[in-house]
Amino acid sequence: MLEKLSSVLKKTTDKIANAIFLDKNLVDSIVKDLQRALIEADVHVPLVLVLTQKIKKAALDERIKGLEKKEHIVKLLHDELLGILGEKREISLQKHNVFLMLGLYGQGKTTTISKLASYYAKRGTKVCAIGLDVYRPAASEQLKQLCDKLNIPAFIDSKEKDPKKIWKKYEKELEKYSLVLVDTAGRDSLNEALLKEIKDILKLTKPTETLLVMSADVGQTAKKQAEAFKALNISGVIITKMDSTAKAGGALTACAEVKAPVVFIGTGEKPADLEAFDPEAFLGRLLGMGDLKSLMEKIQSVVHKDDIEKTQKRLEQGKFTLKDLQSQLESMESLGSMDSLLSMIPGLGKAKIPNEAMVAQQEKIKRWKHAIKSMTEEEIENPKILEEETSRIQRIAKGSGTTTSEIRALIKQYKMLKEMITSQSQISPDKMDQKTMMKLAKKFGRKMKL
Ligand code: GDP
Ligand code: MG
């Protein structure tokens, strides 16, 4: 169900959680991915644009910083998505209930009756079904077969062509059931004939719930359908075939747009493939998290608290190894991060860094990373030995396809960063944020030669 959208949403929250800086480039790429995925899932374009604009605005809001900003954006994403999924509406059963199924041909009305029958029977409700689809000869047989399998009584009369007569025939019998599921005939479109027939059936059956059954693959046309059927006072929508389309975002959000609450979703052809629609839980699944709280916890936990604490401990003991440098380099790898890092350095702040210089910088970092990979554990832990035994530098350069001067530049960079970081005696783990980095960068700004 909406696997692709789900995977992009999960990636998006991961990206936000893992980002050191939510700089413009990162935000742009996140917003682009989101837009593409939502539009591919068939969410109405104006809704997508509003959502992504809000995220962009919040991300670039200078007043909110660090972790708070991440939480703010993820909460915003969560809330906006929830908004376009619509309100939750739970059907509550009364003493005697009649659910009338409405919808066009092939949308899943009859199948959904078997699902609802199974759903409510499992919860102890005395259920039966009645077939009022008199147009397709096989329709009532289909209903009967499906219900037989579930041991649910299905009242049909395949010879009778007048739905009213069928209803009258079984009316007394139906009163013995707590829930009566009424199957009706569809058409290719909601034409006059169907409208009249539905109005008659409404009068006759006096449903407690009038449910529009709509297939998820109709996408955006769901809005038109829902709007048209709203004139019949539908109380809820059941969206079927959620399992067989990537475009289910269209039907779901379109219903919310016209304020027709989705009450159930169908996720397959079997009787058990039905779930009550809970926007919050549904969204939680899409985001790969149970609820907003757990999502927030995820954001807080991936700030590398562990890593920061470990680094912190090592730093307190005066240890800062090339491994630490490597992870620094990794986090600086995207051009965007580099840009924001450089923008913190006095003097460089306003300067526009030429694109080639940025690309060259990236290339340099990549090569440094290769070089570190060619080092032994001992060298990584204690880079001093590299300066003491220069043959090591030659070996590493050869092994990693770099030059000895590059390795020397790397060592220089490492020493500079080590001095910078260890001089900051009290870096509390959760304070290692933009502000701290900024301070550090300012202090050592002139020396930073990235
Ligand atoms: P009706 O004309 O509205 O009564 O539609 P039916 O109930 O006869 O369903 C039409 C087709 O859609 C049938 O082949 C069903 O098996 C299929 N169908 C219904 N609901 C679902 C669903 O949730 N998932 C999938 N994959 N197929 C479904
Ligand atoms: Mg049918």
Side-chain angles (χ1 to χ4, degrees):
M1 227 173 5
L2 291 174
E3 281 87 5
K4 195 140 178 240
L5 176 60
S6 176
S7 114
V8 171
L9 287 174
K10 283 177 201 162
K11 263 189 217 139
T12 300
T13 53
D14 278 347
K15 267 191 197 166
I16 296 172
N18 288 317
I20 296 209
F21 306 113
L22 282 170
D23 53 66
K24 196 174 169 301
N25 284 343
L26 182 67
V27 173
D28 282 346
S29 98
I30 285 173
V31 163
K32 226 178 256 161
D33 289 348
L34 266 179
Q35 283 177 340
R36 196 177 303 136
L38 287 165
I39 290 169
E40 264 176 40
D42 211 21
V43 177
H44 199 29
V45 175
L47 295 180
V48 175
L49 293 181
V50 168
L51 184 151
T52 49
Q53 272 311 318
K54 281 190 183 168
I55 291 186
K56 217 166 166 171
K57 198 163 155 242
L60 301 174
D61 188 338
E62 293 292 337
R63 288 166 305 172
I64 328 164
K65 296 229 185 282
L67 186 54
E68 254 169 72
K69 177 171 274 182
K70 291 180 180 190
E71 288 177 341
H72 180 66
I73 292 172
V74 171
K75 183 166 185 318
L76 191 68
L77 176 64
H78 175 275
D79 293 351
E80 288 296 314
L81 288 171
L82 196 59
I84 64 170
L85 279 178
E87 301 275 323
K88 176 175 176 175
R89 189 190 159 233
E90 225 169 341
I91 292 180
S92 46
L93 290 187
Q94 298 156 28
K95 202 158 167 271
H96 183 69
N97 305 272
V98 177
F99 287 10
L100 183 69
M101 300 294 139
L102 299 180
L104 303 180
Y105 272 145
Q107 300 292 302
K109 292 180 294 300
T110 310
T111 317
T112 300
I113 287 200
S114 72
K115 294 180 190 176
L116 286 169
S118 161
Y119 181 92
Y120 282 105
K122 265 187 209 149
R123 286 160 178 78
T125 308
K126 198 174 170 202
V127 193
C128 74
I130 177 163
L132 300 188
D133 179 356
V134 293
Y135 290 90
R136 280 173 43 229
S140 51
E141 279 309 321
Q142 181 199 359
L143 179 68
K144 178 107 180 60
Q145 275 172 20
L146 287 170
C147 288
D148 280 352
K149 276 191 208 148
L150 299 165
N151 285 323
I152 300 284
F155 301 102
I156 61 162
D157 185 341
S158 35
K159 289 190 197 78
E160 181 53 64
K161 289 291 163 221
D162 182 356
K164 271 180 252 172
K165 286 191 179 149
I166 304 177
W167 181 264
K168 290 276 178 227
K169 179 173 167 186
Y170 294 114
E171 205 169 15
K172 274 266 145 339
E173 191 69 21
L174 297 176
E175 277 166 19
K176 295 181 193 157
Y177 293 85
S178 161
L179 172 60
V180 181
L181 300 166
V182 187
D183 196 16
T184 65
R187 295 290 194 285
D188 286 327
S189 64
L190 188 62
N191 56 23
E192 281 305 313
L194 181 57
L195 260 177
K196 182 170 182 323
E197 183 181 310
I198 293 172
K199 281 182 181 159
D200 286 346
I201 292 180
L202 277 167
K203 255 189 238 155
L204 190 73
T205 58
K206 298 186 187 62
T208 51
E209 293 287 343
T210 308
L211 303 170
L212 170 63
V213 179
M214 207 160 51
S215 163
D217 55 23
V218 301
Q220 281 298 313
T221 27
K223 197 167 161 184
K224 258 199 202 142
Q225 268 195 50
E227 253 167 353
F229 278 91
K230 266 203 104 176
L232 297 162
N233 280 329
I234 49 167
S235 59
V237 181
I238 300 182
I239 297 181
T240 62
K241 308 187 198 179
M242 289 290 296
D243 54 306
S244 55
T245 174
K247 297 201 165 292
L252 277 179
T253 54
C255 288
E257 262 190 290
V258 299
K259 301 219 157 16
V262 177
V263 283
F264 282 101
I265 52 175
T267 57
E269 294 184 82
K270 292 191 292 300
D273 297 333
L274 182 80
E275 41 184 280
F277 183 65
D278 176 350
E280 189 112 40
F282 183 81
L283 179 60
R285 254 186 332 189
L286 278 186
L287 291 168
M289 286 285 138
D291 54 18
L292 184 59
K293 196 168 149 267
S294 44
L295 196 63
M296 285 300 163
E297 278 163 10
K298 169 178 156 184
I299 301 297
Q300 287 157 359
S301 69
V302 263
V303 204
H304 305 305
K305 257 213 154 94
D306 278 7
D307 285 359
I308 292 173
E309 267 166 38
K310 265 188 222 149
T311 311
Q312 162 84 357
K313 277 222 175 82
R314 282 207 302 277
L315 294 185
E316 276 165 8
Q317 299 159 352
K319 280 185 194 157
F320 175 76
T321 72
L322 275 168
K323 238 195 195 115
D324 300 314
L325 175 62
Q326 191 177 18
S327 60
Q328 292 278 327
L329 294 179
E330 261 155 26
S331 58
M332 296 190 320
E333 211 169 11
S334 85
L335 286 174
S337 309
M338 188 60 82
D339 209 359
S340 45
L341 198 66
L342 290 175
S343 73
M344 291 177 195
I345 300 167
L348 273 179
K350 295 273 150 33
K352 258 256 160 273
I353 298 134
N355 212 20
E356 307 90 79
M358 295 284 275
V359 174
Q361 184 57 53
Q362 267 219 308
E363 188 52 33
K364 186 154 109 187
I365 287 179
K366 218 188 256 162
R367 291 169 69 84
W368 279 353
K369 277 174 62 190
H370 285 311
I372 295 176
K373 279 200 189 105
S374 289
M375 293 179 190
T376 65
E377 208 50 40
E378 195 193 1
E379 288 160 351
I380 288 173
E381 284 297 322
N382 183 19
K384 234 200 227 150
I385 57 173
L386 293 175
E387 288 173 300
E388 289 161 6
E389 298 170 48
T390 47
S391 63
R392 287 178 185 266
I393 295 182
Q394 278 158 13
R395 192 206 79 235
I396 295 161
K398 224 178 186 175
S400 58
T402 55
T403 62
T404 51
S405 63
E406 278 177 292
I407 309 287
R408 289 210 169 83
L410 168 64
I411 299 170
K412 206 168 147 201
Q413 174 74 28
Y414 156 75
K415 282 166 73 180
M416 199 269 314
L417 266 172
K418 184 178 174 176
E419 184 197 347
M420 174 173 131
I421 289 170
T422 46
S423 76
Q424 196 76 8
S425 56
Q426 274 292 304
I427 306 172
S428 114
D430 50 328
K431 291 268 168 58
M432 185 83 165
D433 58 4
Q434 219 156 341
K435 239 188 212 152
T436 318
M437 293 288 277
M438 187 109 82
K439 264 209 243 140
L440 284 171
K442 266 199 182 130
K443 197 165 169 192
F444 290 87
R446 256 144 231 135
K447 276 202 212 166
M448 281 269 266
K449 250 199 146 208
L450 276 170

